[in-house]
Amino acid sequence: MKILFYARGEEGQQWLDALRQTLPHAEICQWGSMADQQWQADYALVWNAPSALFESQQRLKGIVNLGAGVDKLLANPALPNAVPVYKLRDAGMASWMTDYVRYGVSHVARDMDRYRTQQAASCWQPFAIEPKADWSIGILGLGAIGSEVAQALRSDGYPVLGWSRNQKDIPDIESYAGEVELDTLLAKCRVLVNILPATSNTRGLLNAQRLQQLPQGAMVISCGRGEVIDEPALLELCVSGHLRGALLDVFAEEPLPVNNPLWNHPSVIVTPHISAPTPIEGATRQIGELLQQLEEGVVIETVDRLRGY
Ligand code: GLV
């Protein structure tokens, strides 16, 4: 089996070592360092691959996206139509993302934002802890990662409301679906967590009018894709004080441009898309299993290009 690997901005050598260990019988080449430029692979394992990679390959049986979000891959004009695309479902990303969301929830539920402000004035003033039952959390996106995050927060004791394209049945999670029900959910949650992918249905979904449905003092955590949120509207609601704050890991444009005012608002925390990197070990194990199943002819769910995930 011949495998072509490319991951822009990632630890290439670490990936290659892990892949070679997991797939000892495969011939694995990294794009850009192939001795023979005509070399044709059976599978491409890619993250943010250049168009030239796909243009050079005529024999691919499958393309594996080395992450959960496939938006960049599907937007690549050279992505061959006839080759099935697979994505990593959850190779350990859900656990990272759960930590990130828990941090954001604690930031407001345990008043860390207020204590930071008080510290600047050397002010020693404790606040009573509100019961977790009073902190309803809305999770948008209940895929492999979102549903695990939702269940973890529920088991922490928070009421969790989930929203997805189709109604999901997850124990103890209030499930909402469709745009009308989104408004109902928004009005109920004190913390809103965006774990949605960027698709034609989700881009701009959290516009000014929807963000305003959130109760006064709500917090927004965004770690799916930035295009889902109208960023100027979000900032406006932070400035007006309608929103208590935002913890943002993903943005419509990344890296977030230096002149973007989100950098400077005191109630906004910006992180550089680090909430859930793909763990190499979990990912290579999953890739090994996936490729073996494909070689055996097992039918594996592919990315639905029209749906966008
Ligand atoms: C990260 O953003 C991913 O899509 O896995």
Side-chain angles (χ1 to χ4, degrees), residues 159-181:
V160 177
L161 296 73
W163 185 84
S164 51
R165 207 170 101 104
N166 302 310
Q167 197 87 23
K168 292 273 165 71
D169 190 12
I170 307 175
D172 297 326
I173 309 290
E174 248 181 74
S175 174
Y176 295 79
E179 296 203 353
V180 174
E181 290 190 11

Side-chain angles (χ1 to χ4, degrees), residues 47 67-69 93 225 273 276 278:
W47 184 246
M93 291 92 115
R225 283 294 182 263
H273 203 139
T278 303

Side-chain angles (χ1 to χ4, degrees), residues 4 18 20 47 90 124 128 155 158 178 191 194 230 253 257 301:
L4 183 56
R20 289 192 174 121
W47 184 246
D90 168 27
W124 182 280
S155 65
Y158 297 103
V191 179
N194 164 39
D230 177 339
E253 184 180 351
E301 190 188 354

Side-chain angles (χ1 to χ4, degrees), residues 111-134:
D111 296 303
M112 295 303 167
D113 52 347
R114 292 181 172 153
Y115 293 128
R116 292 299 295 164
T117 309
Q118 291 191 166
Q119 187 176 339
S122 308
C123 171
W124 182 280
Q125 172 65 56
F127 295 104
I129 298 172
E130 284 185 69
K132 286 183 179 159
D134 292 350

Side-chain angles (χ1 to χ4, degrees), residues 126-264:
F127 295 104
I129 298 172
E130 284 185 69
K132 286 183 179 159
D134 292 350
W135 283 94
S136 292
I137 300 174
I139 311 266
L140 307 187
L142 295 173
I145 296 177
S147 54
E148 193 171 318
V149 174
Q151 282 170 298
L153 291 166
R154 182 70 197 104
S155 65
D156 288 347
Y158 297 103
V160 177
L161 296 73
W163 185 84
S164 51
R165 207 170 101 104
N166 302 310
Q167 197 87 23
K168 292 273 165 71
D169 190 12
I170 307 175
D172 297 326
I173 309 290
E174 248 181 74
S175 174
Y176 295 79
E179 296 203 353
V180 174
E181 290 190 11
L182 177 58
D183 287 343
T184 314
L185 174 143
L186 291 173
K188 287 186 180 180
C189 45
R190 292 181 76 185
V191 179
L192 179 70
V193 185
N194 164 39
I195 311 187
L196 288 167
T199 71
S200 54
N201 290 316
T202 65
R203 286 192 181 90
L205 186 75
L206 292 175
N207 56 22
Q209 180 259 328
R210 291 216 173 88
L211 289 169
Q212 276 159 8
Q213 312 282 320
L214 288 164
Q216 170 71 35
M219 161 87 172
V220 171
I221 301 174
S222 182
C223 43
R225 283 294 182 263
E227 292 94 320
V228 173
I229 300 185
D230 177 339
E231 290 169 354
L234 176 80
L235 180 63
E236 185 81 34
L237 290 168
C238 289
V239 172
S240 73
H242 182 79
L243 291 181
R244 179 162 165 181
L247 170 61
L248 308 176
D249 190 47
V250 290
F251 302 88
E253 184 180 351
E254 296 180 7
L256 184 63
V258 286
N259 60 356
N260 190 306
L262 286 170
W263 279 113
N264 300 313

